[in-house]
Amino acid sequence: MRSCGSTAYRATLEELATHPAVTPVHLAATPDDTRTSVPALLATTAESVRAHPELLTECFGPASLIITYTTTEELLETLSTLPGGLTATVHGQEHEDEPLARRLTAVLHAGRLIWNGWPTGVAVTPAMHHGGPWPATTSPLHTSVGSGAISRWMRPVAYQNMPEQLLPAPLRRANPWNVPQQVDGGLPGRSVS
């Protein structure tokens, strides 16, 4: 996978746009300013995606690849070949599309399935979650983002007999950040029985 940034976006977009199985629908001229990314819309077929999995390379920027299919079975076959992802969105009508939506969600491998919406930004909140297969998370038992990820990425450290001046500021008695603390097994000002 390439690093993020306009240069990587441009290189990946050029590879996709010039692939023989891809048709550019909208491809604006690239400005000289390398900090600028231009939107692009490309198209291919489900058959081409199965034959050329490299078409599914992440192009991190304002680009979309439309994949057309002829039958529901072809759609499901193609979706079942997709690698795991952070999110997958299904757009449809709640009652009319329910049978197909049920089949789609069974084959989509993503940390977050979205109905008629768009993925949100990442925040440290209980509602934010990216579980599921890689790359949604490196461990399918844990989320990589949101408040549930705090314990995953946290490096627990115990400070035993450390002089006050060597402690991180929030762990000092003055506690300038007003972080909730447990001292000797209890909260400050409360006795432990």
Side-chain angles (χ1 to χ4, degrees):
M1 183 177 294
R2 294 196 166 133
S3 62
C4 295
S6 181
T7 304
Y9 168 71
R10 288 176 182 213
T12 307
L13 180 59
E14 183 177 348
E15 285 177 21
L16 287 172
T18 58
H19 194 285
V22 172
T23 302
V25 176
H26 172 76
L27 195 57
T30 305
D32 292 334
D33 184 352
T34 58
R35 297 169 296 169
T36 305
S37 297
V38 295
L41 185 60
L42 310 171
T44 191
T45 65
E47 180 182 11
S48 294
V49 166
R50 292 191 308 277
H52 304 282
E54 70 273 12
L55 294 177
L56 299 176
T57 297
E58 181 179 49
C59 189
F60 195 80
S64 291
L65 177 64
I66 297 170
I67 302 171
T68 59
Y69 60 95
T70 54
T71 67
T72 299
E73 296 312 313
E74 182 186 24
L75 169 64
L76 294 169
E77 178 186 353
T78 304
L79 289 176
S80 69
T81 67
L82 297 180
L86 294 176
T87 65
T89 302
V90 177
H91 291 279
Q93 299 297 318
E94 190 169 341
H95 299 291
E96 299 107 61
D97 296 326
E98 186 178 326
L100 176 57
R102 189 176 313 281
R103 293 178 72 190
L104 291 174
T105 57
V107 298
L108 290 170
H109 304 291
R112 188 170 7 144
L113 295 175
I114 301 164
W115 176 260
N116 283 340
W118 304 101
T120 59
V122 176
V124 182
T125 65
M128 182 59 56
H129 181 272
H130 274 321
W134 184 91
T137 181
T138 54
S139 170
L141 303 176
H142 304 282
T143 177
S144 297
V145 299
S147 58
I150 292 172
S151 60
R152 176 168 186 211
W153 302 113
M154 177 182 70
R155 182 180 144 247
V157 175
Y159 294 91
Q160 181 175 335
N161 295 330
M162 295 293 290
E164 178 84 6
Q165 67 273 16
L166 295 180
L167 290 172
L171 299 182
R172 295 179 186 169
R173 284 186 188 90
N175 192 4
W177 298 358
N178 294 316
V179 174
Q181 298 178 339
Q182 282 192 329
V183 178
D184 295 330
L187 296 174
R190 298 185 185 165
S191 61
V192 179
S193 48

